[in-house]
Amino acid sequence: MTAPKTARKPTTSAKQHPSGDNRFKILEATMKRHQYQPDALIEVLHKAQELFGYLSNDLLLMIAHSLRLPPSRVYGVATFYHFFSLAPQGQHSCAICLGTACYVKGAAALLASVEHEAGIKAGDTTADNRLSLMTARCLGACGIAPAVVIDGEVAGNVSTEQLVAQIREMLRES
Ligand code: FES
């Protein structure tokens, strides 16, 4: 006789994480809102990165388990998109959207200017750990293209001068 099938319950409920870190609770609530559907993976990874700054091994495994996906799939997606980072980020972060709407409004020139100013390429962090530079496909803010996310805040209609000045300021901070 086979055991009766029971509805799957996620092992990590929306209750407090043993570490007391409230960010796990928020991440859990995000997965719950998507009913732990595997196709919510990208949204969940975005939320995890927003909350934790980068996607650690433990986080990726937890997400894989909760969404019932093979870890290889979760790692594959996390490494495919430049927006996601698997290593700790610099003190500041700048993600430049290279989606179509932003691209036609000069996002490539924005990226080139920031790369030049910071002396790093997209996906890298400055040697002093002050700035991590990333790119994104579409931030869902096409109406204010070109859009960038600086330290988690979306900014729109960004000009090269404005962005470079802000980056320069970040790099100079002591
Ligand atoms: S293409 Fe950049 S926000 Fe949509």
Side-chain angles (χ1 to χ4, degrees):
M1 196 172 103
T2 53
K5 282 191 179 166
T6 52
R8 178 192 165 275
K9 278 197 188 131
T11 51
T12 44
S13 69
K15 68 182 187 313
Q16 195 67 38
H17 188 266
S19 66
D21 188 336
N22 202 40
R23 292 175 297 178
F24 287 102
K25 195 173 167 186
I26 299 170
L27 182 59
E28 188 64 35
T30 301
M31 292 192 284
K32 192 173 178 188
R33 195 170 63 248
H34 288 285
Q35 297 171 326
Y36 302 94
Q37 288 299 316
D39 59 11
L41 176 60
I42 290 185
E43 277 114 310
V44 172
L45 290 175
H46 268 290
K47 180 49 96 179
Q49 177 150 305
E50 185 188 310
L51 290 167
F52 294 89
Y54 73 104
L55 302 170
S56 67
N57 271 347
D58 287 352
L59 264 179
L60 293 175
L61 287 173
M62 176 194 145
I63 291 168
H65 183 73
S66 297
L67 301 186
R68 286 158 288 162
L69 282 166
S72 57
R73 171 88 203 289
V74 176
Y75 278 92
V77 170
T79 50
F80 179 77
Y81 292 102
H82 281 177
F83 184 82
F84 296 127
S85 174
L86 274 63
Q89 293 296 289
Q91 192 183 338
H92 294 287
S93 64
C94 172
I96 298 177
C97 178
L98 294 181
T100 309
C102 291
Y103 198 86
V104 299
K105 293 266 188 115
L110 276 183
L111 177 62
S113 305
V114 174
E115 284 180 337
H116 180 74
E117 186 63 34
I120 53 172
K121 292 284 178 197
D124 292 343
T125 296
T126 53
D128 60 6
N129 226 33
R130 203 151 283 181
L131 176 75
S132 292
L133 179 60
M134 294 162 283
T135 58
R137 301 293 158 114
C138 176
L139 300 168
C142 309
I144 54 169
V148 303
V149 182
I150 297 180
D151 290 341
E153 298 283 325
V154 177
N157 302 310
V158 178
S159 71
T160 303
E161 296 72 28
Q162 188 189 348
L163 184 59
V164 166
Q166 203 166 349
I167 295 297
R168 198 171 288 154
E169 200 57 38
M170 285 174 173
L171 294 171
R172 260 205 225 117
E173 272 176 18
S174 57

